[in-house]
Structures are given as C-alpha cells and as structure tokens.
Amino acid sequence: LPVDVLSLVRKETPDMGEAVLDKNENPFSPPPALVEELRGRMASIPLNRYPDPTHESLREALGSFAGYPAGCVSVGNGGDEILSMLFSAFVSPGDSVLTLSPCFSQYGHLCRVQGARHVTVALGAAEKCFELDGELFLDTMARCSPKLILIDRPNNPTGCSVPLEMLRRIIDMSPCEVVVDEAYVDFGPDSVLDLYGPDSIPDNLLVLRTFSKAWGLAAIRLGWGVSSRRVVSRLEDVRSPYNVNCITREVALIALKYRQWHRDTTERIVYTRDRFLESLSGLQGWRAYEGNGNFVFARSPVPWELLDGALRREGFHLRRIPMPDHSDGDWVRISVGREEHMREMLGLLEKM
Ligand code: PMP
C-alpha cells in the first residue's frame, strides 16, 4: 500500500533536490561572507609548501575557542582521524575497548581493525529517551579492564547524553583513557568540559569535537581534541606530520569568526528537530525519542525496505540502525534537514 500511495503523492513545491538525511550533516552551508573571505585568503596560501607540522596557529585558535592553551589541543583529518590515532596510541590487539550500544559505527570498525575486543553496555529505552544504567557501566568497566573507553555524548544514534555527574564518576574510576565524543555537543545543553578547566582537566580525558556538524563544514575534514598535555603527547607520537592541510586550516580560522552564524544555525536546527520529533511522535505507530543531536531516533512501524524504497523515490535518504539489544522493529535515524524537507517527509510518512 505505501508504495502505491506514495507514487501518487505529488510534490506541491518545486524540486528542492535530494534530502540527504543519513549522515547527520548540517543542511545549511556556511554564510557567503565566509566563502568570500576564504577566496581572498586563498591567494596568499603558499601552495607549494607543506603546512606547519605543529599546527600551532590552528591549535591556538581552537584552544582559545574552548578556553584551553594550544598545548591541550590535538587536530586531525576529521574526528575520524583522531579516533584512529587514539586506537593506535592506546589499543593493542586483544585489548578491550568499552563503549555504549548503540554507538557511532566507527568505534566497532576501529576495534575490528585493531583486533580489539569491543565490549558494550546497552542503552535502555525509557519512556521518552534512551538512558544509560550507570552502575552497570561501572561494573562492566571494572570487569573488562578496558584500554580505551569511548562515550559519544550526545550518543549517535539515540541522541541521549550520559548525565555529567555519572560521566565524572566514570572518568574518576576509569583504569584507562576516556574519550568523550562531543561531535554533536552544540545541539545539546552542556559539555563535559563544563566540569573542568585547563588546570583541572583529568589526565585520562580527551574531549572530541568536529567542524562537520554544527559548523556545517564536513567537507574540510577537521576534528580536534581537548585533553591533558599527556594525552596530546601520546597522540603526537602516532600522528602523521601534515595531517591537516593548509586550506582546511584557513577555512577553520575564518569560520571561528562566524560564531553568531554557528549559534543561529544551531538554534534553528534544534527548533526544527523538536518540532519534527513532536509531529513524528504523533504519527500512528511511530515511536520517537528525545535526544540532543541534530537527528531524531525512532522506531518505524513501516518495515525498513518499504520505508526506504518509498522515501528514496521522493529523494529522502534515512539511515537504518541495527539494534541488536532491541530487536523489536526497524530503527531509523533521521538527520534534521531544512524545515521544508522535514515537513514534506512528515506528509509522506503520514500517508503510509
Ligand atoms: N563522532 C561521532 C559521534 C560522529 O557521529 C561522527 C561523524 N558522524 C564523528 C565522530 C566523526 O566526524 P568527522 O570525522 O566528520 O569529524
């Protein structure tokens, strides 16, 4: 039925292009003034020279943005490269790596590549959102003696944020480095860095950030970490010298001046997310969960193949999420796109 019905649904709006809602990208490009400024800057980049291998100016700018000295900042070719560096620095074959379940898919991939044992603690579905049983996490941590702990906060894909006080306990009691992956931090209420300052950041903590989400710059591939100097130096041991290129550096240095755009866009996405969540929850059979990312996590009453087939024909791309700990139904993660795309998709879902 949904397929037939959908083939009859006519868009009332002119073609808005594909709605790519499966990678948690920002649907808005950075402002034209930023692009214009970059154009001007390009002429003065010495393209025949390697970048400064210490990335000093970039680390200083990022540190000052976060309130930390450059010595506490690492940079990478996307957050993905920093994650790879963390595995190279801290994980050997046979070691345990502890994460939430579900979690960012790259964590499992890196465990496989490194030959590590991937130990997970399942998030539970409460009435409105997913939650971590903190005591279970602490127990598991004590039992499996991990060499690295990765907590995506907000979690990808559920959007839930482990409470700060629980996080503090995990960091305090952890036998190893704890990575708090804040790729989506701008869409939520707080950061683990709120607990600490440059003089009190724990020796075993690394906070991961990226330009790919709220900054709308996934194309430049820039991730960064804030940590103790000890963790920075461990990452320096495994980093390749020119891992961040000059153009990326210049874009980031310019982007950091556009903080109002960053705040406004984030607010707009959060507003759209909350309204979309409310509407989706109202649709028959759908179960949508509150979260702090730029996406909505939900259980679909429509089997995935049907849902995906029907939406793809209309230009919508969603992400199916395997949920081994919750095998009751088909789970999907829907990135928050432009308001008009979300409205149009709700219209399609309503008719299924
Ligand atoms: N962490 C999480 C939780 C993510 O979802 C992503 C990207 N989807 C990343 C890190 C990596 O982002 P990037 O490599 O684009 O910086």
Side-chain angles (χ1 to χ4, degrees):
L1 173 74
V3 178
D4 291 336
V5 170
L6 273 172
S7 65
L8 298 172
V9 173
R10 289 273 53 89
K11 282 192 212 165
E12 281 159 28
T13 44
D15 180 26
M16 295 184 293
E18 299 273 298
V20 180
L21 306 177
D22 61 353
K23 295 187 193 67
N24 295 343
E25 293 156 331
N26 193 320
F28 304 107
S29 305
L34 185 157
V35 178
E36 202 44 50
E37 217 177 305
L38 175 66
R39 213 188 299 278
R41 189 77 63 87
M42 283 294 284
S44 58
I45 299 177
L47 292 173
N48 57 323
R49 302 292 179 193
Y50 284 111
D52 163 20
T54 69
H55 303 308
E56 187 67 21
S57 59
L58 183 55
R59 290 164 64 221
E60 213 150 77
L62 292 167
S64 118
F65 177 72
Y68 281 75
C72 292
V73 177
S74 307
V75 291
N77 190 323
D80 284 347
E81 193 199 11
I82 297 197
L83 289 169
S84 294
M85 282 156 46
L86 285 158
F87 272 74
S88 300
F90 297 110
V91 183
S92 302
D95 286 348
S96 293
V97 173
L98 178 60
T99 75
L100 308 173
S101 169
C103 62
F104 178 33
S105 54
Q106 195 67 6
Y107 303 165
H109 172 73
L110 289 167
C111 284
R112 285 189 293 279
V113 169
Q114 199 74 346
R117 194 162 74 95
H118 188 187
V119 182
T120 60
V121 174
L123 294 165
E127 176 62 22
K128 291 191 161 169
C129 59
F130 274 75
E131 285 174 356
L132 175 68
D133 178 342
E135 301 305 325
L136 178 62
F137 194 91
L138 291 172
D139 276 358
T140 311
M141 182 171 89
R143 270 189 293 105
C144 77
S145 305
K147 288 291 170 9
L148 188 65
I149 295 176
L150 300 148
I151 297 178
D152 37 359
R153 181 184 191 274
N155 169 256
N156 174 8
T158 68
C160 85
S161 296
V162 173
L164 283 184
E165 278 314 310
M166 176 48 65
L167 209 47
R168 191 205 291 273
R169 284 180 63 198
I170 293 170
I171 295 163
D172 284 351
M173 296 170 73
S174 167
C176 64
E177 277 61 35
V178 179
V179 178
V180 178
D181 182 344
E182 294 195 336
Y184 303 100
V185 68
D186 310 83
F187 306 104
D190 52 26
S191 158
V192 66
L193 288 179
D194 299 344
L195 293 174
Y196 310 107
D199 299 324
S200 61
I201 186 162
D203 212 31
N204 63 340
L205 172 66
L206 180 132
V207 182
L208 183 64
R209 301 276 180 89
T210 178
F211 274 71
S212 300
K213 310 299 177 185
W215 287 99
L217 289 167
I220 70 169
R221 309 302 299 128
L222 181 63
W224 53 295
V226 175
S227 67
S228 64
R229 290 172 194 271
R230 187 186 67 83
V231 172
V232 170
S233 114
R234 292 290 300 274
L235 294 183
E236 283 299 286
D237 291 342
V238 297
R239 183 175 68 80
S240 57
Y242 309 116
N243 60 331
V244 174
N245 70 72
C246 293
I247 297 170
T248 292
R249 178 193 67 211
E250 293 306 316
V251 179
L253 291 175
I254 295 171
L256 285 169
K257 298 196 286 180
Y258 289 81
R259 296 188 192 182
Q260 193 57 45
W261 178 86
H262 170 256
R263 273 192 292 272
D264 292 347
T265 310
T266 305
E267 251 176 49
R268 190 169 169 190
I269 291 169
V270 166
Y271 178 76
T272 307
R273 175 194 73 198
D274 293 346
R275 286 186 22 175
F276 177 73
L277 173 78
E278 204 181 316
S279 306
L280 186 62
S281 304
L283 292 188
Q284 180 136 36
W286 280 86
R287 189 76 206 275
Y289 292 86
E290 286 175 8
N292 295 318
N294 62 341
F295 49 86
V296 168
F297 188 58
R299 199 179 62 199
S300 163
V302 184
W304 169 254
E305 285 72 18
L306 225 50
L307 178 73
D308 184 50
L311 287 180
R312 248 169 220 266
R313 266 198 302 285
E314 301 294 320
F316 288 88
H317 302 253
L318 312 188
R319 176 71 60 96
R320 179 190 205 174
I321 304 290
M323 289 285 277
D325 303 306
H326 303 261
S327 51
D328 49 341
D330 282 336
W331 297 83
V332 292
R333 191 194 67 194
I334 307 167
S335 308
V336 176
R338 293 166 177 274
E339 291 87 344
E340 61 271 24
H341 281 148
M342 304 319 276
R343 257 201 316 275
E344 191 187 356
M345 183 168 43
L346 280 167
L348 295 170
L349 297 177
E350 213 166 13
K351 293 189 171 78
M352 285 191 190

